Amino acid sequence: MLRQQDVGHRIVVRRIVGIREGRPQFSDALGELVELSETHLTLATAQGQLRVPVAQVHRAKRVPPARRPTAAAVVALERAADEAWPAPTRGRLGDWLLRSAEGWTGRANSALPIGDPDRPLAAAVDAVERWYADLGQPALINTPLPLAAPVGAELDARGWTTRPPTLVQTAPLSLLTSAPADGPADGRGSAVVELTTAPSDEWLAIAAGRKGGLPDAARHVLTAVDQVRFAHVYADNALVAVGRGTVTGQGRWLGLSLVEVLPTARRQGLARRVIHELASWGVSGGATHAFLQVEQRNTAAVALYQRLGLVTHHTYLTRVAPN
């Protein structure tokens, strides 16, 4: 059977899905193990998240990874993503990063446990808990898998809970710039994407609506990057689509975030056009690849990114300390 050490690794599960003529019927599932409890196991599969009761598991085992990126590649991408979403309050535990932004988004308010924390693992988690307690915030840790699987096992033993998996997806910029999707913004002409170095008030209002407010720290997260652009698409003088792009990771990575189309303007290709224009800007700045982070349960966004050629590089879990 599986153990906590298998979390973050690729597994195959044969489960009982029914009984026919007194004999059990089986179905196999292949994916990344993202959670293992006494009662259930959860896999991230190509079709989405699958939660299987342990009582239904006939057999389960770890299998070789499918062209998994190296640990160095995961670390480099996580560092680039941190640069693209910079928390204003920061600390360090050896190589680990501690981040706070008045509670605005999990990414900017969580520890990133990559590298050596310069102390035993249990002591490092104790230090994370103290750091966030001193700020009056709940302690969060983002665990890239399988790189941070040992951290995850320690958090399991302490009763930390798990938020839904987040996919870190990537693509060569040549894919995102080769075939833009034309779509009318207002039924009378092609969508025009304006890229600016600062977000408009309307842009910030859309971001606030999506993220549940916009404290002062949020403005720092959004703008405190040397190379950043904010995409605006207007229809009838109203802002209907937005997006944000950054170039980080020693100039290699275009980070895409906050791509949003208002409900009244959807299904017109605006998200594709926003991504295309930001990708073109990234290329002009010397970037070669794009990345974004999307919750696996956001099936509509995942499907769009899949059509554009983005693939999952790795997965991370946001872990939450018990009250």
Side-chain angles (χ1 to χ4, degrees):
M1 278 298 292
L2 300 171
R3 301 173 295 171
Q4 289 298 331
Q5 294 94 316
D6 297 312
V7 173
H9 293 272
R10 195 164 178 247
I11 67 167
V12 62
V13 176
R14 173 158 292 185
R15 57 196 175 104
I16 301 171
V17 294
I19 303 293
R20 180 181 297 174
E21 297 178 354
R23 302 180 63 180
Q25 303 297 302
F26 300 104
S27 177
D28 292 341
L30 178 69
E32 185 174 288
L33 181 64
V34 297
E35 185 180 13
L36 178 64
S37 71
E38 293 182 359
T39 59
H40 289 79
L41 59 86
T42 304
L43 291 82
T45 74
Q47 292 74 39
Q49 186 168 316
L50 177 65
R51 193 166 185 258
V52 181
V54 169
Q56 295 179 6
V57 175
H58 175 69
R59 187 178 302 156
K61 65 178 182 179
R62 190 190 298 188
V63 296
R67 294 189 295 179
R68 188 180 298 279
T70 66
V74 173
V75 169
L77 182 47
E78 286 290 331
R79 297 287 190 197
D82 174 68
E83 293 173 31
W85 203 254
T89 302
R90 304 173 70 86
R92 297 191 76 97
L93 290 176
D95 296 327
W96 287 19
L97 301 178
L98 306 175
R99 306 172 291 189
S100 174
E102 299 179 37
W104 194 73
T105 75
R107 276 180 283 167
N109 291 273
S110 56
L112 182 59
I114 54 177
D116 183 1
D118 199 28
R119 65 205 71 197
L121 178 56
V125 176
D126 288 341
V128 170
E129 292 176 339
R130 288 194 301 270
W131 194 82
Y132 284 101
D134 289 344
L135 293 174
Q137 291 184 219
L140 305 178
I141 296 180
N142 276 4
T143 54
L145 298 176
L147 184 67
V151 179
E154 174 69 20
L155 302 181
D156 288 335
R158 293 172 180 242
W160 286 51
T161 56
T162 305
R163 291 181 179 174
T166 296
L167 308 179
V168 182
Q169 300 197 311
T170 63
L173 281 180
S174 57
L175 281 180
L176 303 184
T177 58
S178 60
D182 291 324
D186 57 4
R188 293 190 296 271
S190 296
V192 176
V193 182
E194 299 178 14
L195 299 185
T196 62
T197 57
S200 67
D201 290 342
E202 295 88 351
W203 195 104
L204 292 171
I206 291 176
R210 178 172 174 177
K211 295 295 186 181
L214 207 70
D216 290 341
R219 296 174 183 265
H220 178 97
V221 172
L222 292 171
T223 62
V225 182
D226 288 340
Q227 297 188 69
V228 61
R229 290 295 184 272
F230 298 87
H232 301 68
V233 182
Y234 292 90
D236 295 328
N237 297 317
L239 186 63
V240 295
V242 299
R244 175 178 176 269
T246 56
V247 174
T248 59
Q250 298 181 330
R252 179 189 180 191
W253 289 103
L254 169 75
L256 296 168
S257 59
L258 291 170
V259 176
E260 180 83 3
V261 180
L262 296 188
T264 56
R266 289 175 183 166
R267 300 187 182 278
Q268 300 179 39
L270 297 188
R272 286 174 176 263
R273 181 159 288 282
V274 164
I275 290 171
H276 176 268
E277 294 301 323
L278 288 171
S280 298
W281 168 75
V283 169
S284 71
T288 58
H289 290 74
F291 78 89
L292 55 80
Q293 297 164 317
V294 58
E295 283 195 3
Q296 182 175 286
R297 63 183 177 180
N298 188 350
T299 55
V302 171
L304 167 64
Y305 300 145
Q306 184 178 37
R307 291 194 297 270
L308 292 176
L310 287 130
V311 297
T312 298
H313 184 272
H314 64 277
T315 302
Y316 74 76
L317 299 176
T318 299
R319 306 299 305 269
V320 183
N323 294 328

mmCIF file of all heavy atoms in Angstrom, residues 4 24 65 119 146 157 171 223 229 235 244 261 288 312 321:
data_model
loop_
_atom_site.group_PDB
_atom_site.id
_atom_site.type_symbol
_atom_site.label_atom_id
_atom_site.label_comp_id
_atom_site.label_asym_id
_atom_site.label_seq_id
_atom_site.Cartn_x
_atom_site.Cartn_y
_atom_site.Cartn_z
ATOM 1 N N GLN A 4 2.951 7.972 3.233
ATOM 2 C CA GLN A 4 3.051 9.422 3.068
ATOM 3 C C GLN A 4 4.227 9.806 2.182
ATOM 4 O O GLN A 4 4.194 10.835 1.503
ATOM 5 C CB GLN A 4 3.177 10.106 4.440
ATOM 6 C CG GLN A 4 1.909 10.079 5.269
ATOM 7 C CD GLN A 4 0.773 10.822 4.601
ATOM 8 O OE1 GLN A 4 0.980 11.771 3.847
ATOM 9 N NE2 GLN A 4 -0.459 10.392 4.880
ATOM 10 N N PRO A 24 -16.117 -8.601 -8.046
ATOM 11 C CA PRO A 24 -15.800 -7.168 -8.088
ATOM 12 C C PRO A 24 -15.372 -6.725 -9.476
ATOM 13 O O PRO A 24 -14.724 -7.481 -10.217
ATOM 14 C CB PRO A 24 -14.648 -7.032 -7.085
ATOM 15 C CG PRO A 24 -14.018 -8.387 -7.043
ATOM 16 C CD PRO A 24 -15.144 -9.378 -7.252
ATOM 17 N N PRO A 65 8.006 8.337 -13.026
ATOM 18 C CA PRO A 65 7.454 9.615 -13.490
ATOM 19 C C PRO A 65 7.429 9.705 -15.002
ATOM 20 O O PRO A 65 8.200 9.032 -15.694
ATOM 21 C CB PRO A 65 8.406 10.655 -12.890
ATOM 22 C CG PRO A 65 9.695 9.918 -12.702
ATOM 23 C CD PRO A 65 9.310 8.509 -12.361
ATOM 24 N N ARG A 119 18.516 24.153 9.172
ATOM 25 C CA ARG A 119 18.152 23.585 10.473
ATOM 26 C C ARG A 119 17.350 22.321 10.207
ATOM 27 O O ARG A 119 16.883 22.114 9.069
ATOM 28 C CB ARG A 119 17.343 24.595 11.299
ATOM 29 C CG ARG A 119 15.988 24.949 10.716
ATOM 30 C CD ARG A 119 15.534 26.310 11.191
ATOM 31 N NE ARG A 119 16.334 27.357 10.570
ATOM 32 C CZ ARG A 119 16.392 28.607 11.015
ATOM 33 N NH1 ARG A 119 15.695 28.955 12.073
ATOM 34 N NH2 ARG A 119 17.140 29.504 10.389
ATOM 35 N N PRO A 146 7.165 16.676 -6.687
ATOM 36 C CA PRO A 146 7.456 15.969 -5.441
ATOM 37 C C PRO A 146 8.615 16.556 -4.659
ATOM 38 O O PRO A 146 9.025 16.006 -3.655
ATOM 39 C CB PRO A 146 7.812 14.572 -5.926
ATOM 40 C CG PRO A 146 8.491 14.819 -7.233
ATOM 41 C CD PRO A 146 7.774 15.987 -7.856
ATOM 42 N N ALA A 157 1.907 15.084 9.620
ATOM 43 C CA ALA A 157 2.031 14.615 11.005
ATOM 44 C C ALA A 157 1.576 15.668 12.004
ATOM 45 O O ALA A 157 1.144 15.336 13.108
ATOM 46 C CB ALA A 157 3.488 14.221 11.279
ATOM 47 N N ALA A 171 4.935 26.826 -21.392
ATOM 48 C CA ALA A 171 4.945 26.644 -22.844
ATOM 49 C C ALA A 171 6.028 27.527 -23.441
ATOM 50 O O ALA A 171 6.331 28.601 -22.904
ATOM 51 C CB ALA A 171 3.592 27.005 -23.461
ATOM 52 N N THR A 223 2.861 45.510 -8.845
ATOM 53 C CA THR A 223 3.665 46.483 -9.592
ATOM 54 C C THR A 223 5.157 46.449 -9.302
ATOM 55 O O THR A 223 5.935 47.014 -10.082
ATOM 56 C CB THR A 223 3.159 47.909 -9.310
ATOM 57 O OG1 THR A 223 3.308 48.208 -7.912
ATOM 58 C CG2 THR A 223 1.685 48.050 -9.691
ATOM 59 N N ARG A 229 3.800 44.360 -17.456
ATOM 60 C CA ARG A 229 2.821 45.010 -18.313
ATOM 61 C C ARG A 229 1.418 44.567 -17.897
ATOM 62 O O ARG A 229 1.203 43.426 -17.484
ATOM 63 C CB ARG A 229 3.043 44.657 -19.792
ATOM 64 C CG ARG A 229 4.296 45.254 -20.404
ATOM 65 C CD ARG A 229 4.249 46.773 -20.468
ATOM 66 N NE ARG A 229 5.409 47.339 -21.148
ATOM 67 C CZ ARG A 229 6.553 47.645 -20.547
ATOM 68 N NH1 ARG A 229 6.687 47.417 -19.239
ATOM 69 N NH2 ARG A 229 7.557 48.158 -21.236
ATOM 70 N N ALA A 235 -14.450 47.733 -24.615
ATOM 71 C CA ALA A 235 -15.583 47.657 -25.535
ATOM 72 C C ALA A 235 -16.592 48.705 -25.092
ATOM 73 O O ALA A 235 -16.982 48.732 -23.911
ATOM 74 C CB ALA A 235 -16.223 46.273 -25.523
ATOM 75 N N ARG A 244 -2.019 40.300 -16.874
ATOM 76 C CA ARG A 244 -0.753 40.841 -16.363
ATOM 77 C C ARG A 244 0.379 39.940 -16.819
ATOM 78 O O ARG A 244 0.263 38.708 -16.800
ATOM 79 C CB ARG A 244 -0.793 40.911 -14.837
ATOM 80 C CG ARG A 244 0.521 41.354 -14.160
ATOM 81 C CD ARG A 244 0.296 41.413 -12.654
ATOM 82 N NE ARG A 244 1.499 41.728 -11.893
ATOM 83 C CZ ARG A 244 2.348 40.814 -11.409
ATOM 84 N NH1 ARG A 244 2.125 39.517 -11.642
ATOM 85 N NH2 ARG A 244 3.412 41.176 -10.725
ATOM 86 N N VAL A 261 -11.773 37.841 -18.178
ATOM 87 C CA VAL A 261 -12.720 38.417 -19.122
ATOM 88 C C VAL A 261 -14.071 38.518 -18.426
ATOM 89 O O VAL A 261 -14.542 37.539 -17.836
ATOM 90 C CB VAL A 261 -12.853 37.562 -20.400
ATOM 91 C CG1 VAL A 261 -13.858 38.194 -21.367
ATOM 92 C CG2 VAL A 261 -11.496 37.395 -21.078
ATOM 93 N N THR A 288 11.829 33.505 -23.298
ATOM 94 C CA THR A 288 11.686 32.385 -24.230
ATOM 95 C C THR A 288 10.543 31.454 -23.862
ATOM 96 O O THR A 288 10.066 30.698 -24.717
ATOM 97 C CB THR A 288 12.980 31.554 -24.281
ATOM 98 O OG1 THR A 288 13.288 31.071 -22.956
ATOM 99 C CG2 THR A 288 14.139 32.398 -24.794
ATOM 100 N N THR A 312 1.498 20.976 -17.874
ATOM 101 C CA THR A 312 1.845 21.067 -16.455
ATOM 102 C C THR A 312 3.311 20.711 -16.246
ATOM 103 O O THR A 312 3.754 19.609 -16.589
ATOM 104 C CB THR A 312 0.949 20.145 -15.617
ATOM 105 O OG1 THR A 312 -0.409 20.572 -15.760
ATOM 106 C CG2 THR A 312 1.342 20.198 -14.150
ATOM 107 N N ALA A 321 -1.762 25.659 8.426
ATOM 108 C CA ALA A 321 -1.554 25.191 9.787
ATOM 109 C C ALA A 321 -2.873 25.080 10.524
ATOM 110 O O ALA A 321 -3.799 25.883 10.296
ATOM 111 C CB ALA A 321 -0.610 26.134 10.535
#
